[in-house]
mmCIF file of all heavy atoms in Angstrom:
data_model
loop_
_atom_site.group_PDB
_atom_site.id
_atom_site.type_symbol
_atom_site.label_atom_id
_atom_site.label_comp_id
_atom_site.label_asym_id
_atom_site.label_seq_id
_atom_site.Cartn_x
_atom_site.Cartn_y
_atom_site.Cartn_z
ATOM 1 N N HIS A 75 303.369 -54.095 -52.327
ATOM 2 C CA HIS A 75 303.532 -52.659 -52.561
ATOM 3 C C HIS A 75 302.679 -52.296 -53.764
ATOM 4 O O HIS A 75 302.638 -53.026 -54.769
ATOM 5 C CB HIS A 75 305.002 -52.334 -52.822
ATOM 6 C CG HIS A 75 305.864 -52.405 -51.584
ATOM 7 N ND1 HIS A 75 305.970 -51.370 -50.688
ATOM 8 C CD2 HIS A 75 306.595 -53.423 -51.066
ATOM 9 C CE1 HIS A 75 306.774 -51.711 -49.692
ATOM 10 N NE2 HIS A 75 307.152 -52.964 -49.898
ATOM 11 N N LYS A 76 301.958 -51.175 -53.664
ATOM 12 C CA LYS A 76 301.106 -50.715 -54.746
ATOM 13 C C LYS A 76 301.560 -49.361 -55.247
ATOM 14 O O LYS A 76 301.784 -48.453 -54.466
ATOM 15 C CB LYS A 76 299.651 -50.611 -54.273
ATOM 16 C CG LYS A 76 298.658 -50.236 -55.368
ATOM 17 C CD LYS A 76 297.276 -49.934 -54.844
ATOM 18 C CE LYS A 76 297.244 -48.562 -54.177
ATOM 19 N NZ LYS A 76 297.362 -47.466 -55.168
ATOM 20 N N LYS A 77 301.695 -49.250 -56.568
ATOM 21 C CA LYS A 77 302.112 -47.970 -57.144
ATOM 22 C C LYS A 77 301.021 -46.928 -56.987
ATOM 23 O O LYS A 77 299.840 -47.219 -57.263
ATOM 24 C CB LYS A 77 302.470 -48.138 -58.610
ATOM 25 C CG LYS A 77 303.024 -46.889 -59.251
ATOM 26 C CD LYS A 77 303.422 -47.122 -60.708
ATOM 27 C CE LYS A 77 304.062 -45.888 -61.319
ATOM 28 N NZ LYS A 77 304.470 -46.111 -62.735
ATOM 29 N N GLY A 78 301.385 -45.721 -56.569
ATOM 30 C CA GLY A 78 300.416 -44.648 -56.405
ATOM 31 C C GLY A 78 299.758 -44.272 -57.718
ATOM 32 O O GLY A 78 300.352 -44.371 -58.799
ATOM 33 N N GLY A 79 298.482 -43.839 -57.610
ATOM 34 C CA GLY A 79 297.724 -43.540 -58.817
ATOM 35 C C GLY A 79 297.713 -42.068 -59.192
ATOM 36 O O GLY A 79 297.659 -41.716 -60.358
ATOM 37 N N SER A 80 297.735 -41.188 -58.186
ATOM 38 C CA SER A 80 297.670 -39.757 -58.484
ATOM 39 C C SER A 80 299.037 -39.259 -58.930
ATOM 40 O O SER A 80 300.070 -39.867 -58.671
ATOM 41 C CB SER A 80 297.199 -38.980 -57.265
ATOM 42 O OG SER A 80 298.110 -39.149 -56.185
ATOM 43 N N GLN A 81 299.069 -38.113 -59.607
ATOM 44 C CA GLN A 81 300.283 -37.600 -60.200
ATOM 45 C C GLN A 81 301.387 -37.357 -59.167
ATOM 46 O O GLN A 81 302.543 -37.649 -59.401
ATOM 47 C CB GLN A 81 299.985 -36.301 -60.945
ATOM 48 C CG GLN A 81 301.149 -35.797 -61.798
ATOM 49 C CD GLN A 81 300.757 -34.632 -62.674
ATOM 50 O OE1 GLN A 81 299.632 -34.163 -62.631
ATOM 51 N NE2 GLN A 81 301.697 -34.163 -63.482
ATOM 52 N N LYS A 83 301.754 -38.866 -56.382
ATOM 53 C CA LYS A 83 302.090 -40.097 -55.661
ATOM 54 C C LYS A 83 302.646 -41.182 -56.613
ATOM 55 O O LYS A 83 302.928 -42.310 -56.155
ATOM 56 C CB LYS A 83 300.859 -40.685 -54.935
ATOM 57 C CG LYS A 83 300.418 -39.873 -53.723
ATOM 58 C CD LYS A 83 299.249 -40.578 -53.034
ATOM 59 C CE LYS A 83 298.816 -39.863 -51.772
ATOM 60 N NZ LYS A 83 297.669 -40.548 -51.128
ATOM 61 N N ILE A 84 302.833 -40.831 -57.874
ATOM 62 C CA ILE A 84 303.157 -41.846 -58.858
ATOM 63 C C ILE A 84 304.479 -42.542 -58.615
ATOM 64 O O ILE A 84 304.714 -43.674 -59.037
ATOM 65 C CB ILE A 84 303.094 -41.218 -60.282
ATOM 66 C CG1 ILE A 84 302.910 -42.330 -61.318
ATOM 67 C CG2 ILE A 84 304.333 -40.395 -60.575
ATOM 68 C CD1 ILE A 84 302.483 -41.832 -62.678
ATOM 69 N N LYS A 86 305.572 -43.247 -55.600
ATOM 70 C CA LYS A 86 305.497 -43.925 -54.322
ATOM 71 C C LYS A 86 304.863 -45.312 -54.451
ATOM 72 O O LYS A 86 303.958 -45.491 -55.260
ATOM 73 C CB LYS A 86 304.700 -43.078 -53.321
ATOM 74 C CG LYS A 86 305.365 -41.748 -52.977
ATOM 75 C CD LYS A 86 304.578 -40.976 -51.944
ATOM 76 C CE LYS A 86 305.263 -39.690 -51.562
ATOM 77 N NZ LYS A 86 304.509 -38.914 -50.529
ATOM 78 N N TRP A 87 305.366 -46.241 -53.696
ATOM 79 C CA TRP A 87 304.851 -47.592 -53.674
ATOM 80 C C TRP A 87 304.563 -48.007 -52.222
ATOM 81 O O TRP A 87 305.286 -48.772 -51.611
ATOM 82 C CB TRP A 87 305.892 -48.564 -54.273
ATOM 83 C CG TRP A 87 306.087 -48.415 -55.759
ATOM 84 C CD1 TRP A 87 306.735 -47.414 -56.421
ATOM 85 C CD2 TRP A 87 305.653 -49.352 -56.769
ATOM 86 N NE1 TRP A 87 306.723 -47.652 -57.761
ATOM 87 C CE2 TRP A 87 306.081 -48.832 -58.008
ATOM 88 C CE3 TRP A 87 304.982 -50.587 -56.726
ATOM 89 C CZ2 TRP A 87 305.849 -49.512 -59.207
ATOM 90 C CZ3 TRP A 87 304.744 -51.237 -57.920
ATOM 91 C CH2 TRP A 87 305.174 -50.702 -59.152
ATOM 92 N N ILE A 99 289.530 -56.650 -56.506
ATOM 93 C CA ILE A 99 290.769 -56.424 -55.722
ATOM 94 C C ILE A 99 290.508 -55.315 -54.729
ATOM 95 O O ILE A 99 290.028 -54.243 -55.078
ATOM 96 C CB ILE A 99 291.956 -56.065 -56.632
ATOM 97 C CG1 ILE A 99 292.311 -57.284 -57.512
ATOM 98 C CG2 ILE A 99 293.150 -55.641 -55.825
ATOM 99 C CD1 ILE A 99 293.572 -57.083 -58.338
ATOM 100 N N TYR A 101 292.377 -53.138 -51.496
ATOM 101 C CA TYR A 101 293.668 -52.886 -50.829
ATOM 102 C C TYR A 101 293.423 -51.981 -49.606
ATOM 103 O O TYR A 101 292.733 -50.995 -49.645
ATOM 104 C CB TYR A 101 294.703 -52.282 -51.784
ATOM 105 C CG TYR A 101 294.258 -51.087 -52.600
ATOM 106 C CD1 TYR A 101 294.513 -49.769 -52.165
ATOM 107 C CD2 TYR A 101 293.619 -51.258 -53.817
ATOM 108 C CE1 TYR A 101 294.134 -48.677 -52.938
ATOM 109 C CE2 TYR A 101 293.227 -50.164 -54.589
ATOM 110 C CZ TYR A 101 293.480 -48.889 -54.127
ATOM 111 O OH TYR A 101 293.108 -47.807 -54.889
ATOM 112 N N PHE A 114 288.609 -52.348 -56.866
ATOM 113 C CA PHE A 114 288.184 -52.283 -58.248
ATOM 114 C C PHE A 114 287.876 -53.699 -58.764
ATOM 115 O O PHE A 114 288.384 -54.700 -58.236
ATOM 116 C CB PHE A 114 289.244 -51.631 -59.147
ATOM 117 C CG PHE A 114 290.571 -52.362 -59.214
ATOM 118 C CD1 PHE A 114 290.838 -53.240 -60.261
ATOM 119 C CD2 PHE A 114 291.547 -52.155 -58.265
ATOM 120 C CE1 PHE A 114 292.069 -53.903 -60.349
ATOM 121 C CE2 PHE A 114 292.782 -52.822 -58.329
ATOM 122 C CZ PHE A 114 293.032 -53.688 -59.390
ATOM 123 N N SER A 115 287.017 -53.768 -59.770
ATOM 124 C CA SER A 115 286.654 -55.035 -60.385
ATOM 125 C C SER A 115 287.660 -55.374 -61.462
ATOM 126 O O SER A 115 288.225 -54.508 -62.117
ATOM 127 C CB SER A 115 285.251 -54.912 -61.012
ATOM 128 O OG SER A 115 284.972 -56.034 -61.806
ATOM 129 N N LEU A 116 287.887 -56.656 -61.668
ATOM 130 C CA LEU A 116 288.776 -57.150 -62.735
ATOM 131 C C LEU A 116 288.041 -57.233 -64.085
ATOM 132 O O LEU A 116 288.636 -57.664 -65.063
ATOM 133 C CB LEU A 116 289.346 -58.508 -62.363
ATOM 134 C CG LEU A 116 290.378 -58.520 -61.241
ATOM 135 C CD1 LEU A 116 290.705 -59.934 -60.800
ATOM 136 C CD2 LEU A 116 291.655 -57.784 -61.669
ATOM 137 N N ASN A 117 286.806 -56.814 -64.116
ATOM 138 C CA ASN A 117 286.036 -56.811 -65.366
ATOM 139 C C ASN A 117 286.749 -55.938 -66.428
ATOM 140 O O ASN A 117 287.031 -54.780 -66.205
ATOM 141 C CB ASN A 117 284.634 -56.248 -65.112
ATOM 142 C CG ASN A 117 283.758 -56.361 -66.318
ATOM 143 O OD1 ASN A 117 284.038 -57.111 -67.269
ATOM 144 N ND2 ASN A 117 282.670 -55.584 -66.328
ATOM 145 N N GLY A 118 287.063 -56.558 -67.561
ATOM 146 C CA GLY A 118 287.745 -55.857 -68.640
ATOM 147 C C GLY A 118 289.241 -55.956 -68.607
ATOM 148 O O GLY A 118 289.942 -55.657 -69.594
ATOM 149 N N TYR A 119 289.803 -56.428 -67.477
ATOM 150 C CA TYR A 119 291.239 -56.639 -67.386
ATOM 151 C C TYR A 119 291.590 -58.008 -67.963
ATOM 152 O O TYR A 119 291.013 -59.014 -67.525
ATOM 153 C CB TYR A 119 291.717 -56.500 -65.947
ATOM 154 C CG TYR A 119 291.736 -55.047 -65.500
ATOM 155 C CD1 TYR A 119 290.600 -54.476 -64.930
ATOM 156 C CD2 TYR A 119 292.866 -54.256 -65.654
ATOM 157 C CE1 TYR A 119 290.579 -53.140 -64.546
ATOM 158 C CE2 TYR A 119 292.848 -52.923 -65.274
ATOM 159 C CZ TYR A 119 291.713 -52.374 -64.723
ATOM 160 O OH TYR A 119 291.706 -51.047 -64.352
ATOM 161 N N ASN A 120 292.470 -58.067 -68.907
ATOM 162 C CA ASN A 120 292.705 -59.309 -69.626
ATOM 163 C C ASN A 120 294.170 -59.712 -69.688
ATOM 164 O O ASN A 120 294.514 -60.751 -70.270
ATOM 165 C CB ASN A 120 292.155 -59.243 -71.048
ATOM 166 C CG ASN A 120 292.867 -58.198 -71.909
ATOM 167 O OD1 ASN A 120 293.398 -57.239 -71.375
ATOM 168 N ND2 ASN A 120 292.862 -58.380 -73.214
ATOM 169 N N ARG A 121 295.064 -58.908 -69.080
ATOM 170 C CA ARG A 121 296.504 -59.280 -69.099
ATOM 171 C C ARG A 121 297.120 -59.025 -67.727
ATOM 172 O O ARG A 121 296.903 -57.976 -67.120
ATOM 173 C CB ARG A 121 297.249 -58.490 -70.168
ATOM 174 C CG ARG A 121 297.007 -58.976 -71.563
ATOM 175 C CD ARG A 121 297.939 -58.255 -72.562
ATOM 176 N NE ARG A 121 297.552 -56.848 -72.699
ATOM 177 C CZ ARG A 121 298.337 -55.916 -73.225
ATOM 178 N NH1 ARG A 121 299.565 -56.241 -73.639
ATOM 179 N NH2 ARG A 121 297.916 -54.671 -73.350
ATOM 180 N N VAL A 122 297.858 -60.026 -67.266
ATOM 181 C CA VAL A 122 298.652 -59.913 -66.039
ATOM 182 C C VAL A 122 300.058 -60.284 -66.398
ATOM 183 O O VAL A 122 300.321 -61.403 -66.898
ATOM 184 C CB VAL A 122 298.101 -60.862 -64.941
ATOM 185 C CG1 VAL A 122 298.906 -60.687 -63.663
ATOM 186 C CG2 VAL A 122 296.608 -60.609 -64.683
ATOM 187 N N MET A 123 301.007 -59.395 -66.188
ATOM 188 C CA MET A 123 302.373 -59.647 -66.642
ATOM 189 C C MET A 123 303.370 -58.909 -65.761
ATOM 190 O O MET A 123 303.044 -58.015 -65.012
ATOM 191 C CB MET A 123 302.525 -59.220 -68.104
ATOM 192 C CG MET A 123 302.144 -57.783 -68.382
ATOM 193 S SD MET A 123 301.857 -57.444 -70.147
ATOM 194 C CE MET A 123 303.396 -57.935 -70.862
ATOM 195 N N ARG A 124 304.627 -59.345 -65.883
ATOM 196 C CA ARG A 124 305.705 -58.673 -65.156
ATOM 197 C C ARG A 124 305.853 -57.240 -65.652
ATOM 198 O O ARG A 124 305.708 -56.973 -66.830
ATOM 199 C CB ARG A 124 307.010 -59.433 -65.307
ATOM 200 C CG ARG A 124 307.080 -60.736 -64.605
ATOM 201 C CD ARG A 124 308.363 -61.472 -64.910
ATOM 202 N NE ARG A 124 308.520 -62.679 -64.077
ATOM 203 C CZ ARG A 124 307.947 -63.830 -64.348
ATOM 204 N NH1 ARG A 124 307.178 -63.958 -65.432
ATOM 205 N NH2 ARG A 124 308.124 -64.858 -63.547
ATOM 206 N N ALA A 125 306.156 -56.336 -64.719
ATOM 207 C CA ALA A 125 306.337 -54.927 -65.074
ATOM 208 C C ALA A 125 307.828 -54.596 -64.971
ATOM 209 O O ALA A 125 308.279 -53.887 -64.083
ATOM 210 C CB ALA A 125 305.521 -54.043 -64.158
ATOM 211 N N THR A 126 308.589 -55.134 -65.922
ATOM 212 C CA THR A 126 310.036 -54.961 -65.855
ATOM 213 C C THR A 126 310.467 -53.513 -65.908
ATOM 214 O O THR A 126 311.511 -53.156 -65.359
ATOM 215 C CB THR A 126 310.707 -55.736 -66.999
ATOM 216 O OG1 THR A 126 310.113 -55.333 -68.244
ATOM 217 C CG2 THR A 126 310.490 -57.239 -66.839
ATOM 218 N N GLU A 127 309.657 -52.684 -66.556
ATOM 219 C CA GLU A 127 310.007 -51.259 -66.666
ATOM 220 C C GLU A 127 309.926 -50.534 -65.322
ATOM 221 O O GLU A 127 310.462 -49.421 -65.166
ATOM 222 C CB GLU A 127 309.086 -50.553 -67.674
ATOM 223 C CG GLU A 127 307.636 -50.368 -67.232
ATOM 224 C CD GLU A 127 306.756 -51.585 -67.432
ATOM 225 O OE1 GLU A 127 307.281 -52.676 -67.714
ATOM 226 O OE2 GLU A 127 305.527 -51.456 -67.272
ATOM 227 N N GLU A 128 309.285 -51.164 -64.316
ATOM 228 C CA GLU A 128 309.161 -50.570 -63.014
ATOM 229 C C GLU A 128 310.188 -51.112 -62.012
ATOM 230 O O GLU A 128 310.189 -50.724 -60.833
ATOM 231 C CB GLU A 128 307.750 -50.798 -62.447
ATOM 232 C CG GLU A 128 306.643 -50.165 -63.293
ATOM 233 C CD GLU A 128 306.619 -48.651 -63.191
ATOM 234 O OE1 GLU A 128 307.193 -48.136 -62.220
ATOM 235 O OE2 GLU A 128 306.016 -48.005 -64.075
ATOM 236 N N PRO A 136 307.964 -56.333 -59.503
ATOM 237 C CA PRO A 136 306.695 -55.703 -59.837
ATOM 238 C C PRO A 136 305.930 -56.490 -60.919
ATOM 239 O O PRO A 136 306.528 -57.222 -61.729
ATOM 240 C CB PRO A 136 307.120 -54.328 -60.381
ATOM 241 C CG PRO A 136 308.471 -54.585 -60.984
ATOM 242 C CD PRO A 136 309.103 -55.651 -60.140
ATOM 243 N N PHE A 137 304.619 -56.328 -60.894
ATOM 244 C CA PHE A 137 303.761 -56.863 -61.965
ATOM 245 C C PHE A 137 302.628 -55.910 -62.210
ATOM 246 O O PHE A 137 302.368 -54.996 -61.426
ATOM 247 C CB PHE A 137 303.248 -58.281 -61.614
ATOM 248 C CG PHE A 137 302.399 -58.347 -60.378
ATOM 249 C CD1 PHE A 137 301.016 -58.273 -60.463
ATOM 250 C CD2 PHE A 137 302.975 -58.526 -59.134
ATOM 251 C CE1 PHE A 137 300.225 -58.356 -59.317
ATOM 252 C CE2 PHE A 137 302.196 -58.635 -57.970
ATOM 253 C CZ PHE A 137 300.809 -58.541 -58.088
ATOM 254 N N LYS A 138 301.921 -56.085 -63.339
ATOM 255 C CA LYS A 138 300.857 -55.147 -63.666
ATOM 256 C C LYS A 138 299.617 -55.889 -64.187
ATOM 257 O O LYS A 138 299.713 -56.994 -64.716
ATOM 258 C CB LYS A 138 301.349 -54.140 -64.707
ATOM 259 C CG LYS A 138 301.898 -54.762 -65.982
ATOM 260 C CD LYS A 138 302.563 -53.706 -66.859
ATOM 261 C CE LYS A 138 303.259 -54.312 -68.057
ATOM 262 N NZ LYS A 138 303.946 -53.261 -68.878
ATOM 263 N N ILE A 139 298.473 -55.225 -64.031
ATOM 264 C CA ILE A 139 297.192 -55.739 -64.495
ATOM 265 C C ILE A 139 296.664 -54.741 -65.510
ATOM 266 O O ILE A 139 296.454 -53.557 -65.194
ATOM 267 C CB ILE A 139 296.187 -55.894 -63.328
ATOM 268 C CG1 ILE A 139 296.848 -56.620 -62.151
ATOM 269 C CG2 ILE A 139 294.943 -56.611 -63.764
ATOM 270 C CD1 ILE A 139 296.064 -56.525 -60.862
ATOM 271 N N ILE A 140 296.459 -55.204 -66.755
ATOM 272 C CA ILE A 140 296.160 -54.290 -67.864
ATOM 273 C C ILE A 140 294.765 -54.515 -68.378
ATOM 274 O O ILE A 140 294.330 -55.640 -68.651
ATOM 275 C CB ILE A 140 297.183 -54.512 -69.005
ATOM 276 C CG1 ILE A 140 298.609 -54.378 -68.481
ATOM 277 C CG2 ILE A 140 296.944 -53.530 -70.146
ATOM 278 C CD1 ILE A 140 299.680 -54.761 -69.476
ATOM 279 N N HIS A 141 294.043 -53.430 -68.573
ATOM 280 C CA HIS A 141 292.679 -53.445 -69.158
ATOM 281 C C HIS A 141 292.772 -53.509 -70.665
ATOM 282 O O HIS A 141 293.729 -52.981 -71.246
ATOM 283 C CB HIS A 141 291.935 -52.178 -68.718
ATOM 284 C CG HIS A 141 290.443 -52.294 -68.840
ATOM 285 N ND1 HIS A 141 289.794 -52.117 -70.026
ATOM 286 C CD2 HIS A 141 289.497 -52.531 -67.906
ATOM 287 C CE1 HIS A 141 288.481 -52.243 -69.828
ATOM 288 N NE2 HIS A 141 288.243 -52.511 -68.563
ATOM 289 N N PHE A 142 291.786 -54.140 -71.301
ATOM 290 C CA PHE A 142 291.825 -54.218 -72.756
ATOM 291 C C PHE A 142 291.688 -52.835 -73.410
ATOM 292 O O PHE A 142 292.130 -52.602 -74.508
ATOM 293 C CB PHE A 142 290.721 -55.157 -73.284
ATOM 294 C CG PHE A 142 289.410 -54.457 -73.552
ATOM 295 C CD1 PHE A 142 289.055 -54.084 -74.857
ATOM 296 C CD2 PHE A 142 288.557 -54.136 -72.515
ATOM 297 C CE1 PHE A 142 287.862 -53.430 -75.085
ATOM 298 C CE2 PHE A 142 287.359 -53.501 -72.749
ATOM 299 C CZ PHE A 142 287.012 -53.121 -74.037
ATOM 300 N N ASN A 143 291.062 -51.910 -72.669
ATOM 301 C CA ASN A 143 290.893 -50.542 -73.143
ATOM 302 C C ASN A 143 291.958 -49.645 -72.524
ATOM 303 O O ASN A 143 292.016 -49.517 -71.296
ATOM 304 C CB ASN A 143 289.498 -50.039 -72.797
ATOM 305 C CG ASN A 143 289.174 -48.704 -73.398
ATOM 306 O OD1 ASN A 143 290.044 -47.858 -73.598
ATOM 307 N ND2 ASN A 143 287.896 -48.484 -73.720
ATOM 308 N N ARG A 144 292.785 -49.016 -73.332
ATOM 309 C CA ARG A 144 293.892 -48.240 -72.815
ATOM 310 C C ARG A 144 293.446 -47.014 -72.017
ATOM 311 O O ARG A 144 294.269 -46.394 -71.328
ATOM 312 C CB ARG A 144 294.797 -47.791 -73.972
ATOM 313 C CG ARG A 144 295.514 -48.967 -74.621
ATOM 314 C CD ARG A 144 296.447 -48.476 -75.695
ATOM 315 N NE ARG A 144 297.123 -49.608 -76.340
ATOM 316 C CZ ARG A 144 298.009 -49.474 -77.319
ATOM 317 N NH1 ARG A 144 298.303 -48.260 -77.790
ATOM 318 N NH2 ARG A 144 298.586 -50.525 -77.861
ATOM 319 N N LYS A 145 292.184 -46.648 -72.124
ATOM 320 C CA LYS A 145 291.703 -45.493 -71.347
ATOM 321 C C LYS A 145 291.601 -45.835 -69.864
ATOM 322 O O LYS A 145 291.497 -44.952 -69.026
ATOM 323 C CB LYS A 145 290.333 -45.040 -71.854
ATOM 324 C CG LYS A 145 290.376 -44.441 -73.260
ATOM 325 C CD LYS A 145 288.988 -43.987 -73.717
ATOM 326 C CE LYS A 145 289.018 -43.374 -75.101
ATOM 327 N NZ LYS A 145 287.671 -42.953 -75.537
ATOM 328 N N HIS A 146 291.542 -47.129 -69.553
ATOM 329 C CA HIS A 146 291.435 -47.556 -68.173
ATOM 330 C C HIS A 146 292.809 -47.659 -67.539
ATOM 331 O O HIS A 146 293.818 -47.911 -68.187
ATOM 332 C CB HIS A 146 290.711 -48.897 -68.083
ATOM 333 C CG HIS A 146 289.237 -48.796 -68.349
ATOM 334 N ND1 HIS A 146 288.276 -48.880 -67.380
ATOM 335 C CD2 HIS A 146 288.563 -48.588 -69.512
ATOM 336 C CE1 HIS A 146 287.081 -48.770 -67.910
ATOM 337 N NE2 HIS A 146 287.229 -48.598 -69.221
ATOM 338 N N ARG A 147 292.829 -47.499 -66.245
ATOM 339 C CA ARG A 147 294.084 -47.496 -65.504
ATOM 340 C C ARG A 147 294.765 -48.869 -65.538
ATOM 341 O O ARG A 147 294.103 -49.925 -65.452
ATOM 342 C CB ARG A 147 293.807 -47.101 -64.043
ATOM 343 C CG ARG A 147 295.031 -47.163 -63.133
ATOM 344 C CD ARG A 147 294.686 -46.673 -61.746
ATOM 345 N NE ARG A 147 295.784 -46.889 -60.807
ATOM 346 C CZ ARG A 147 295.757 -46.531 -59.516
ATOM 347 N NH1 ARG A 147 294.671 -45.964 -59.037
ATOM 348 N NH2 ARG A 147 296.798 -46.763 -58.743
ATOM 349 N N THR A 148 296.075 -48.868 -65.655
ATOM 350 C CA THR A 148 296.884 -50.058 -65.447
ATOM 351 C C THR A 148 297.328 -50.055 -64.007
ATOM 352 O O THR A 148 297.880 -49.061 -63.521
ATOM 353 C CB THR A 148 298.096 -50.098 -66.384
ATOM 354 O OG1 THR A 148 297.644 -50.195 -67.742
ATOM 355 C CG2 THR A 148 299.001 -51.268 -66.079
ATOM 356 N N TRP A 149 297.119 -51.174 -63.311
ATOM 357 C CA TRP A 149 297.457 -51.267 -61.884
ATOM 358 C C TRP A 149 298.804 -51.955 -61.711
ATOM 359 O O TRP A 149 299.071 -52.980 -62.348
ATOM 360 C CB TRP A 149 296.370 -52.030 -61.133
ATOM 361 C CG TRP A 149 295.052 -51.303 -61.113
ATOM 362 C CD1 TRP A 149 294.080 -51.307 -62.064
ATOM 363 C CD2 TRP A 149 294.586 -50.448 -60.058
ATOM 364 N NE1 TRP A 149 293.039 -50.506 -61.685
ATOM 365 C CE2 TRP A 149 293.309 -49.986 -60.448
ATOM 366 C CE3 TRP A 149 295.103 -50.063 -58.811
ATOM 367 C CZ2 TRP A 149 292.540 -49.124 -59.630
ATOM 368 C CZ3 TRP A 149 294.348 -49.230 -58.001
ATOM 369 C CH2 TRP A 149 293.095 -48.746 -58.429
ATOM 370 N N PHE A 150 299.648 -51.387 -60.863
ATOM 371 C CA PHE A 150 300.963 -51.941 -60.611
ATOM 372 C C PHE A 150 301.099 -52.338 -59.146
ATOM 373 O O PHE A 150 300.749 -51.578 -58.234
ATOM 374 C CB PHE A 150 302.045 -50.895 -60.927
ATOM 375 C CG PHE A 150 302.162 -50.552 -62.380
ATOM 376 C CD1 PHE A 150 301.369 -49.543 -62.923
ATOM 377 C CD2 PHE A 150 303.080 -51.185 -63.203
ATOM 378 C CE1 PHE A 150 301.482 -49.201 -64.257
ATOM 379 C CE2 PHE A 150 303.178 -50.857 -64.537
ATOM 380 C CZ PHE A 150 302.402 -49.854 -65.077
ATOM 381 N N PHE A 151 301.608 -53.557 -58.935
ATOM 382 C CA PHE A 151 301.882 -54.069 -57.603
ATOM 383 C C PHE A 151 303.289 -54.673 -57.608
ATOM 384 O O PHE A 151 303.833 -54.976 -58.668
ATOM 385 C CB PHE A 151 300.857 -55.131 -57.191
ATOM 386 C CG PHE A 151 299.456 -54.592 -57.030
ATOM 387 C CD1 PHE A 151 298.592 -54.606 -58.122
ATOM 388 C CD2 PHE A 151 299.028 -54.089 -55.826
ATOM 389 C CE1 PHE A 151 297.306 -54.121 -58.009
ATOM 390 C CE2 PHE A 151 297.714 -53.601 -55.686
ATOM 391 C CZ PHE A 151 296.877 -53.632 -56.793
ATOM 392 N N SER A 152 303.865 -54.818 -56.406
ATOM 393 C CA SER A 152 305.188 -55.433 -56.322
ATOM 394 C C SER A 152 305.222 -56.413 -55.145
ATOM 395 O O SER A 152 304.799 -56.075 -54.033
ATOM 396 C CB SER A 152 306.247 -54.359 -56.151
ATOM 397 O OG SER A 152 307.534 -54.920 -56.111
ATOM 398 N N MET A 163 300.294 -63.499 -59.692
ATOM 399 C CA MET A 163 299.958 -63.429 -61.111
ATOM 400 C C MET A 163 299.124 -64.615 -61.550
ATOM 401 O O MET A 163 298.155 -64.467 -62.308
ATOM 402 C CB MET A 163 301.255 -63.346 -61.938
ATOM 403 C CG MET A 163 302.005 -62.021 -61.784
ATOM 404 S SD MET A 163 303.628 -62.003 -62.626
ATOM 405 C CE MET A 163 303.123 -62.172 -64.337
ATOM 406 N N LEU A 166 295.542 -64.184 -60.145
ATOM 407 C CA LEU A 166 294.801 -63.165 -60.932
ATOM 408 C C LEU A 166 294.332 -63.718 -62.252
ATOM 409 O O LEU A 166 293.173 -63.508 -62.656
ATOM 410 C CB LEU A 166 295.705 -61.953 -61.145
ATOM 411 C CG LEU A 166 295.848 -60.995 -59.951
ATOM 412 C CD1 LEU A 166 297.054 -60.083 -60.146
ATOM 413 C CD2 LEU A 166 294.588 -60.168 -59.771
ATOM 414 N N ILE A 170 290.401 -64.080 -63.406
ATOM 415 C CA ILE A 170 289.895 -63.446 -64.641
ATOM 416 C C ILE A 170 289.324 -64.499 -65.579
ATOM 417 O O ILE A 170 288.220 -64.350 -66.120
ATOM 418 C CB ILE A 170 291.037 -62.664 -65.328
ATOM 419 C CG1 ILE A 170 291.410 -61.421 -64.490
ATOM 420 C CG2 ILE A 170 290.620 -62.247 -66.752
ATOM 421 C CD1 ILE A 170 292.677 -60.731 -64.957
#
Side-chain angles (χ1 to χ4, degrees):
H75 288 276
K76 184 188 76 70
K77 185 177 182 179
S80 61
Q81 189 172 3
K83 288 183 177 180
I84 200 164
K86 296 183 177 180
W87 290 72
I99 294 186
Y101 50 95
F114 64 96
S115 170
L116 289 171
N117 185 18
Y119 286 88
N120 65 334
R121 284 187 291 164
V122 182
M123 55 197 304
R124 288 175 173 81
T126 53
E127 71 278 11
E128 298 289 341
F137 61 94
K138 56 189 174 183
I139 311 167
I140 306 172
H141 200 279
F142 89 99
N143 187 328
R144 292 182 181 180
K145 292 181 180 179
H146 287 254
R147 176 177 173 179
T148 295
W149 294 84
F150 293 87
F151 295 90
S152 183
M163 291 173 64
L166 282 162
I170 290 169

